[in-house]
Amino acid sequence: TIGMIVIDSNGLISTGTSTNGLSHKIPGRVGDSPIPGAGAYAEKDVGAAAGTGDGDIAMRFAPAYQAVVNLKLGMSPTIAAKDAIERMANYFPNAMLALIVANNQGDFGAACNGIETFPFSVINPNQSKVTVYRVNC
Amino acid sequence: KGSLPLVINTWPFTNATIAAWETIYHEGGSAVDAVERGCSQCEVDQCDGTVGWGGSPDENGETTLDAMIMDATTHDIGAVGALRRVKQAISVARKVMENTNHTLLVGDQATQFALSLGFHETSLTSDKSRKIQADWINNSCQPNYWINVNPDPMLQCGPYHLPQSDKLIKSNTIDNPNTIISSSESERGHD
Protein backbone atom coordinates (compact mmCIF):
# COMPACT_ATOMS: atom_id res chain seq x y z
CA THR A 1 0.00 0.00 0.00
CA ILE A 2 1.09 3.51 -0.66
CA GLY A 3 -0.22 6.30 1.54
CA MET A 4 0.85 9.78 0.50
CA ILE A 5 0.60 13.34 1.81
CA VAL A 6 1.36 16.39 -0.31
CA ILE A 7 1.37 19.96 1.00
CA ASP A 8 2.06 22.77 -1.45
CA SER A 9 4.01 25.94 -0.76
CA ASN A 10 0.79 27.71 0.31
CA GLY A 11 -0.06 25.02 2.83
CA LEU A 12 -2.81 23.40 0.73
CA ILE A 13 -3.06 19.74 1.59
CA SER A 14 -4.01 16.56 -0.21
CA THR A 15 -3.66 12.94 0.78
CA GLY A 16 -4.32 9.60 -0.84
CA THR A 17 -3.88 5.86 -0.79
CA SER A 18 -3.67 3.03 -3.30
CA THR A 19 -3.43 -0.69 -2.65
CA ASN A 20 -4.30 -4.15 -3.87
CA GLY A 21 -4.96 -5.25 -0.30
CA LEU A 22 -4.14 -8.55 1.32
CA SER A 23 -3.12 -11.68 -0.52
CA HIS A 24 -5.71 -14.45 -0.25
CA LYS A 25 -8.41 -12.15 1.07
CA ILE A 26 -11.97 -13.35 0.96
CA PRO A 27 -13.45 -11.98 -2.28
CA GLY A 28 -15.23 -8.70 -1.66
CA ARG A 29 -13.02 -7.68 1.23
CA VAL A 30 -12.07 -3.99 1.30
CA GLY A 31 -9.38 -2.65 3.60
CA ASP A 32 -8.90 0.68 5.32
CA SER A 33 -7.24 2.42 2.40
CA PRO A 34 -10.41 3.82 0.77
CA ILE A 35 -12.10 4.63 4.09
CA PRO A 36 -11.86 8.32 5.04
CA GLY A 37 -10.24 8.73 8.43
CA ALA A 38 -8.86 5.21 8.35
CA GLY A 39 -6.51 4.95 5.36
CA ALA A 40 -5.92 8.68 5.19
CA TYR A 41 -7.37 11.98 6.37
CA ALA A 42 -6.58 15.68 6.09
CA GLU A 43 -7.88 18.99 7.39
CA LYS A 44 -7.03 22.36 5.93
CA ASP A 45 -4.83 24.55 8.12
CA VAL A 46 -4.00 21.54 10.27
CA GLY A 47 -2.31 18.63 8.49
CA ALA A 48 -2.80 15.11 7.28
CA ALA A 49 -2.11 11.47 8.02
CA ALA A 50 -1.97 8.30 5.95
CA GLY A 51 -1.50 4.71 6.96
CA THR A 52 -0.46 1.26 5.93
CA GLY A 53 -0.73 -2.16 7.50
CA ASP A 54 -3.55 -4.41 8.59
CA GLY A 55 -6.60 -2.64 7.27
CA ASP A 56 -9.04 -4.98 8.96
CA ILE A 57 -7.76 -3.59 12.24
CA ALA A 58 -7.07 0.01 11.20
CA MET A 59 -10.54 0.65 9.84
CA ARG A 60 -11.97 0.00 13.31
CA PHE A 61 -10.04 2.90 14.84
CA ALA A 62 -9.91 5.67 12.23
CA PRO A 63 -6.23 6.24 13.05
CA ALA A 64 -5.63 8.90 10.38
CA TYR A 65 -8.52 10.95 11.74
CA GLN A 66 -7.21 10.49 15.27
CA ALA A 67 -3.74 11.64 14.25
CA VAL A 68 -5.10 14.82 12.65
CA VAL A 69 -7.21 15.52 15.71
CA ASN A 70 -4.04 15.06 17.74
CA LEU A 71 -2.35 17.71 15.61
CA LYS A 72 -5.23 20.07 16.38
CA LEU A 73 -4.67 19.38 20.06
CA GLY A 74 -1.11 20.61 19.70
CA MET A 75 0.86 17.39 19.39
CA SER A 76 3.86 17.14 17.11
CA PRO A 77 3.42 14.88 14.07
CA THR A 78 5.51 12.13 15.66
CA ILE A 79 3.59 12.17 18.94
CA ALA A 80 0.29 12.38 17.05
CA ALA A 81 1.23 9.28 15.08
CA LYS A 82 2.44 7.39 18.15
CA ASP A 83 -0.78 8.11 20.02
CA ALA A 84 -2.94 6.88 17.15
CA ILE A 85 -0.85 3.73 16.77
CA GLU A 86 -0.92 3.02 20.51
CA ARG A 87 -4.71 3.18 20.58
CA MET A 88 -4.77 0.27 18.12
CA ALA A 89 -1.84 -1.62 19.62
CA ASN A 90 -3.57 -1.63 23.00
CA TYR A 91 -6.20 -3.92 21.50
CA PHE A 92 -4.11 -5.67 18.85
CA PRO A 93 -0.48 -5.74 19.99
CA ASN A 94 0.68 -7.97 17.14
CA ALA A 95 -0.98 -6.09 14.30
CA MET A 96 1.22 -4.50 11.66
CA LEU A 97 0.28 -0.83 11.58
CA ALA A 98 2.07 2.34 10.52
CA LEU A 99 1.20 6.02 10.08
CA ILE A 100 2.84 9.01 8.49
CA VAL A 101 1.73 12.42 9.74
CA ALA A 102 2.52 15.96 8.60
CA ASN A 103 1.32 19.35 9.80
CA ASN A 104 0.62 22.34 7.62
CA GLN A 105 4.07 23.78 8.39
CA GLY A 106 5.75 20.81 6.73
CA ASP A 107 6.86 19.12 9.94
CA PHE A 108 6.45 15.36 9.67
CA GLY A 109 6.72 12.18 11.69
CA ALA A 110 5.76 8.52 11.73
CA ALA A 111 5.05 5.65 14.07
CA CYS A 112 4.49 1.94 13.68
CA ASN A 113 3.71 -1.37 15.37
CA GLY A 114 4.22 -5.05 14.66
CA ILE A 115 7.38 -4.81 12.57
CA GLU A 116 10.96 -3.92 13.49
CA THR A 117 11.25 -0.67 11.58
CA PHE A 118 9.04 1.28 9.23
CA PRO A 119 10.57 3.14 6.28
CA PHE A 120 8.95 6.17 4.69
CA SER A 121 10.01 8.56 1.94
CA VAL A 122 10.25 12.35 2.17
CA ILE A 123 11.24 15.23 -0.05
CA ASN A 124 11.06 18.97 0.66
CA PRO A 125 13.15 22.00 -0.27
CA ASN A 126 15.65 21.21 2.49
CA GLN A 127 16.68 18.05 0.70
CA SER A 128 18.26 17.68 -2.70
CA LYS A 129 16.74 14.24 -3.21
CA VAL A 130 14.25 11.85 -1.65
CA THR A 131 15.26 10.69 1.81
CA VAL A 132 14.08 7.37 3.20
CA TYR A 133 13.67 7.64 6.96
CA ARG A 134 13.14 4.71 9.29
CA VAL A 135 11.37 4.69 12.63
CA ASN A 136 11.69 1.90 15.15
CA CYS A 137 8.40 0.30 16.07
CA LYS B 1 11.22 19.93 11.25
CA GLY B 2 10.32 20.46 7.66
CA SER B 3 9.50 23.01 5.05
CA LEU B 4 7.07 23.42 2.20
CA PRO B 5 6.23 22.06 -0.24
CA LEU B 6 6.36 18.56 1.17
CA VAL B 7 5.84 15.10 -0.25
CA ILE B 8 5.83 12.17 2.16
CA ASN B 9 4.71 8.61 1.56
CA THR B 10 4.75 5.24 3.23
CA TRP B 11 7.54 2.77 2.42
CA PRO B 12 10.63 3.38 0.28
CA PHE B 13 8.56 3.92 -2.85
CA THR B 14 10.83 6.72 -4.02
CA ASN B 15 9.70 6.77 -7.65
CA ALA B 16 6.27 7.75 -6.37
CA THR B 17 7.78 10.46 -4.17
CA ILE B 18 9.73 11.85 -7.11
CA ALA B 19 6.69 11.80 -9.39
CA ALA B 20 4.65 13.76 -6.88
CA TRP B 21 7.54 16.17 -6.30
CA GLU B 22 7.92 16.83 -10.02
CA THR B 23 4.24 17.69 -10.16
CA ILE B 24 4.12 20.02 -7.16
CA TYR B 25 7.58 21.60 -7.35
CA HIS B 26 8.56 21.75 -11.01
CA GLU B 27 5.32 21.59 -12.99
CA GLY B 28 3.06 23.85 -10.97
CA GLY B 29 0.49 21.18 -10.27
CA SER B 30 -1.79 21.15 -7.25
CA ALA B 31 -1.41 18.98 -4.18
CA VAL B 32 -4.24 16.83 -5.51
CA ASP B 33 -2.46 16.49 -8.86
CA ALA B 34 0.69 15.43 -7.04
CA VAL B 35 -1.04 12.79 -4.93
CA GLU B 36 -2.72 11.35 -8.02
CA ARG B 37 0.53 11.28 -9.96
CA GLY B 38 2.56 9.83 -7.11
CA CYS B 39 0.10 7.05 -6.37
CA SER B 40 -0.34 6.41 -10.11
CA GLN B 41 3.41 5.93 -10.41
CA CYS B 42 3.24 3.29 -7.71
CA GLU B 43 0.36 1.58 -9.49
CA VAL B 44 2.42 1.43 -12.70
CA ASP B 45 5.52 0.26 -10.80
CA GLN B 46 3.42 -2.29 -8.89
CA CYS B 47 5.25 -1.09 -5.77
CA ASP B 48 6.32 -4.00 -3.60
CA GLY B 49 3.57 -6.11 -5.14
CA THR B 50 1.11 -4.39 -2.79
CA VAL B 51 0.04 -1.58 -5.12
CA GLY B 52 -1.55 -1.83 -8.53
CA TRP B 53 -2.45 -4.72 -10.81
CA GLY B 54 -0.95 -8.19 -10.65
CA GLY B 55 -0.46 -8.55 -6.90
CA SER B 56 -2.22 -9.77 -3.77
CA PRO B 57 -4.76 -12.06 -5.45
CA ASP B 58 -7.89 -12.89 -3.51
CA GLU B 59 -8.99 -16.48 -2.84
CA ASN B 60 -10.25 -16.75 -6.40
CA GLY B 61 -7.02 -15.41 -7.85
CA GLU B 62 -8.43 -12.00 -8.75
CA THR B 63 -6.61 -8.76 -7.98
CA THR B 64 -8.89 -5.89 -6.93
CA LEU B 65 -7.87 -2.37 -6.06
CA ASP B 66 -8.73 0.11 -3.28
CA ALA B 67 -7.84 3.79 -3.46
CA MET B 68 -8.80 7.16 -2.02
CA ILE B 69 -7.89 10.79 -2.61
CA MET B 70 -8.77 13.76 -0.44
CA ASP B 71 -8.61 17.51 -0.99
CA ALA B 72 -8.35 19.12 2.42
CA THR B 73 -9.20 22.58 1.09
CA THR B 74 -12.72 21.54 0.12
CA HIS B 75 -12.93 18.42 2.28
CA ASP B 76 -13.83 16.51 -0.88
CA ILE B 77 -13.05 12.81 -1.04
CA GLY B 78 -13.28 10.20 -3.76
CA ALA B 79 -12.64 6.52 -3.23
CA VAL B 80 -13.02 3.11 -4.81
CA GLY B 81 -13.12 -0.26 -3.08
CA ALA B 82 -12.64 -3.68 -4.65
CA LEU B 83 -12.32 -2.05 -8.06
CA ARG B 84 -12.27 -4.79 -10.69
CA ARG B 85 -10.52 -4.90 -14.08
CA VAL B 86 -9.36 -1.28 -14.13
CA LYS B 87 -5.72 -0.49 -13.36
CA GLN B 88 -5.86 3.23 -12.56
CA ALA B 89 -7.45 3.07 -9.11
CA ILE B 90 -6.31 6.45 -7.76
CA SER B 91 -7.40 8.19 -10.96
CA VAL B 92 -10.83 6.59 -10.77
CA ALA B 93 -11.02 7.73 -7.14
CA ARG B 94 -10.30 11.27 -8.29
CA LYS B 95 -13.15 11.03 -10.79
CA VAL B 96 -15.44 9.96 -7.95
CA MET B 97 -14.30 13.07 -6.07
CA GLU B 98 -14.60 15.51 -8.94
CA ASN B 99 -17.49 14.13 -10.99
CA THR B 100 -19.95 12.88 -8.38
CA ASN B 101 -21.45 13.91 -5.08
CA HIS B 102 -20.56 10.49 -3.68
CA THR B 103 -17.53 9.45 -1.67
CA LEU B 104 -16.98 5.72 -2.24
CA LEU B 105 -17.92 3.39 -5.11
CA VAL B 106 -17.21 -0.33 -4.95
CA GLY B 107 -16.88 -3.50 -6.99
CA ASP B 108 -18.37 -3.97 -10.44
CA GLN B 109 -20.34 -0.75 -10.13
CA ALA B 110 -17.11 1.17 -9.60
CA THR B 111 -15.79 -0.52 -12.73
CA GLN B 112 -18.85 0.53 -14.71
CA PHE B 113 -18.40 4.09 -13.44
CA ALA B 114 -14.78 4.07 -14.59
CA LEU B 115 -15.63 2.67 -18.02
CA SER B 116 -18.30 5.31 -18.49
CA LEU B 117 -15.65 7.99 -17.98
CA GLY B 118 -13.21 6.52 -20.46
CA PHE B 119 -11.07 4.11 -18.46
CA HIS B 120 -10.26 0.80 -20.11
CA GLU B 121 -11.20 -2.63 -18.83
CA THR B 122 -8.35 -5.13 -18.61
CA SER B 123 -7.31 -8.13 -16.57
CA LEU B 124 -5.47 -7.32 -13.35
CA THR B 125 -3.92 -10.79 -13.23
CA SER B 126 -0.18 -11.27 -13.76
CA ASP B 127 2.11 -14.28 -13.96
CA LYS B 128 3.18 -13.39 -10.42
CA SER B 129 -0.36 -13.32 -9.04
CA ARG B 130 -1.11 -16.63 -10.79
CA LYS B 131 1.90 -18.20 -9.08
CA ILE B 132 0.94 -16.74 -5.68
CA GLN B 133 -2.52 -18.22 -6.12
CA ALA B 134 -1.21 -21.64 -7.27
CA ASP B 135 1.29 -21.85 -4.41
CA TRP B 136 -1.46 -20.96 -1.94
CA ILE B 137 -3.75 -23.70 -3.19
CA ASN B 138 -0.87 -26.18 -3.12
CA ASN B 139 -0.30 -25.17 0.50
CA SER B 140 -3.85 -26.14 1.49
CA CYS B 141 -4.96 -22.51 1.17
CA GLN B 142 -2.73 -21.35 4.04
CA PRO B 143 -2.95 -18.74 5.38
CA ASN B 144 -6.53 -17.63 5.00
CA TYR B 145 -8.96 -15.35 6.81
CA TRP B 146 -11.78 -17.69 7.72
CA ILE B 147 -12.63 -18.57 11.31
CA ASN B 148 -15.31 -20.62 13.01
CA VAL B 149 -16.24 -22.61 9.90
CA ASN B 150 -15.91 -26.15 8.63
CA PRO B 151 -13.82 -27.73 7.26
CA ASP B 152 -11.03 -26.40 9.47
CA PRO B 153 -9.67 -23.39 7.56
CA MET B 154 -6.30 -23.82 9.25
CA LEU B 155 -5.93 -27.19 7.56
CA GLN B 156 -8.02 -27.26 4.41
CA CYS B 157 -9.29 -25.26 1.49
CA GLY B 158 -12.95 -24.35 1.22
CA PRO B 159 -15.71 -24.09 0.39
CA TYR B 160 -16.48 -23.45 4.03
CA HIS B 161 -19.80 -23.58 5.81
CA LEU B 162 -21.14 -22.87 9.26
CA PRO B 163 -20.56 -25.80 11.60
CA GLN B 164 -23.13 -27.39 13.80
CA SER B 165 -22.23 -26.08 17.24
CA ASP B 166 -21.49 -29.50 18.72
CA LYS B 167 -19.17 -30.40 15.85
CA LEU B 168 -16.99 -27.32 15.86
CA ILE B 169 -13.43 -28.50 16.04
CA LYS B 170 -11.18 -26.86 18.56
CA SER B 171 -8.54 -25.45 16.23
CA ASN B 172 -11.34 -23.79 14.36
CA THR B 173 -12.56 -21.65 17.22
CA ILE B 174 -10.35 -18.62 17.02
CA ASP B 175 -11.74 -16.05 19.37
CA ASN B 176 -8.56 -14.06 19.82
CA PRO B 177 -8.62 -11.34 17.18
CA ASN B 178 -4.85 -10.99 17.50
CA THR B 179 -4.53 -14.22 15.57
CA ILE B 180 -6.41 -12.90 12.58
CA ILE B 181 -3.16 -12.06 10.87
CA SER B 182 0.19 -13.52 11.80
CA SER B 183 3.37 -11.55 11.34
CA SER B 184 4.28 -13.71 8.36
CA GLU B 185 0.98 -12.82 6.75
CA SER B 186 1.63 -9.15 7.25
CA GLU B 187 4.76 -9.60 5.18
CA ARG B 188 2.78 -11.22 2.36
CA GLY B 189 0.54 -8.24 1.82
CA HIS B 190 -0.98 -5.29 3.58
CA ASP B 191 -3.21 -2.31 3.10
Side-chain angles (χ1 to χ4, degrees):
Chain A
T1 303
I2 183 169
M4 175 175 278
I5 300 166
V6 176
I7 308 177
D8 75 8
S9 53
N10 296 314
L12 302 181
I13 306 167
S14 178
T15 186
T17 59
S18 184
T19 186
N20 53 31
L22 300 176
S23 289
H24 322 307
K25 55 187 165 289
I26 296 170
R29 180 266 188 189
V30 172
D32 66 318
S33 297
I35 309 297
Y41 189 73
E43 280 198 28
K44 67 176 179 179
D45 303 329
V46 179
T52 182
D54 181 349
D56 291 308
I57 301 300
M59 67 164 62
R60 304 175 192 179
F61 292 86
Y65 177 81
Q66 181 64 53
V68 173
V69 168
N70 289 344
L71 291 178
K72 290 178 80 170
L73 293 173
M75 296 183 196
S76 71
T78 299
I79 299 300
K82 281 183 177 178
D83 174 78
I85 290 290
E86 283 171 4
R87 288 167 187 262
M88 298 184 285
N90 284 341
Y91 282 87
F92 302 100
N94 299 321
M96 188 260 147
L97 302 156
L99 271 180
I100 54 171
V101 180
N103 66 22
N104 66 337
Q105 303 301 307
D107 305 329
F108 58 86
C112 51
N113 184 76
I115 50 177
E116 226 171 86
T117 63
F118 167 60
F120 60 100
S121 307
V122 178
I123 188 167
N124 64 22
N126 293 337
Q127 302 167 182
S128 58
K129 60 181 183 178
V130 178
T131 301
V132 176
Y133 293 85
R134 285 180 176 274
V135 288
N136 294 320
C137 301
Chain B
K1 281 290 179 187
S3 62
L4 297 177
L6 169 71
V7 176
I8 177 172
N9 59 266
T10 57
W11 307 110
F13 300 154
T14 55
N15 282 347
T17 323
I18 292 168
W21 183 250
E22 288 292 319
T23 302
I24 196 81
Y25 196 66
H26 294 297
E27 298 172 6
S30 69
V32 172
D33 293 334
V35 167
E36 181 186 8
R37 177 135 171 239
C39 290
S40 293
Q41 185 67 51
C42 231
E43 291 170 356
V44 170
D45 293 346
Q46 299 169 295
C47 286
D48 202 24
T50 67
V51 183
W53 69 284
S56 305
D58 68 16
E59 287 189 337
N60 296 334
E62 181 179 2
T63 296
T64 58
L65 305 177
D66 301 341
M68 173 176 61
I69 192 165
M70 179 169 190
D71 181 349
T73 304
T74 58
H75 221 75
D76 266 344
I77 297 176
V80 289
L83 177 67
R84 309 178 79 182
R85 303 183 301 281
V86 175
K87 290 183 176 178
Q88 299 88 355
I90 190 73
S91 294
V92 178
R94 184 169 182 180
K95 296 297 185 192
V96 173
M97 180 171 75
E98 295 186 342
N99 299 100
T100 80
N101 286 321
H102 296 316
T103 300
L104 170 62
L105 300 180
V106 301
D108 272 332
Q109 291 93 334
T111 303
Q112 292 307 311
F113 169 81
L115 298 183
S116 74
L117 294 184
F119 291 87
H120 296 290
E121 189 169 15
T122 185
S123 171
L124 302 187
T125 300
S126 66
D127 290 343
K128 180 182 176 184
S129 65
R130 283 193 194 92
K131 184 177 188 310
I132 292 170
Q133 166 77 349
D135 289 348
W136 180 71
I137 291 172
N138 288 336
N139 191 36
S140 303
C141 303
Q142 302 303 309
N144 66 60
Y145 294 90
W146 291 85
I147 56 173
N148 299 330
V149 290
N150 279 336
D152 187 346
M154 296 180 77
L155 299 174
Q156 299 179 47
C157 294
Y160 304 109
H161 55 85
L162 290 174
Q164 294 178 354
S165 58
D166 59 338
K167 292 183 179 176
L168 190 62
I169 48 181
K170 190 176 181 186
S171 64
N172 209 2
T173 55
I174 301 172
D175 291 326
N176 182 355
N178 294 330
T179 62
I180 289 175
I181 295 183
S182 67
S183 58
S184 62
E185 177 59 10
S186 292
E187 291 162 8
R188 285 170 178 258
H190 50 74
D191 297 286

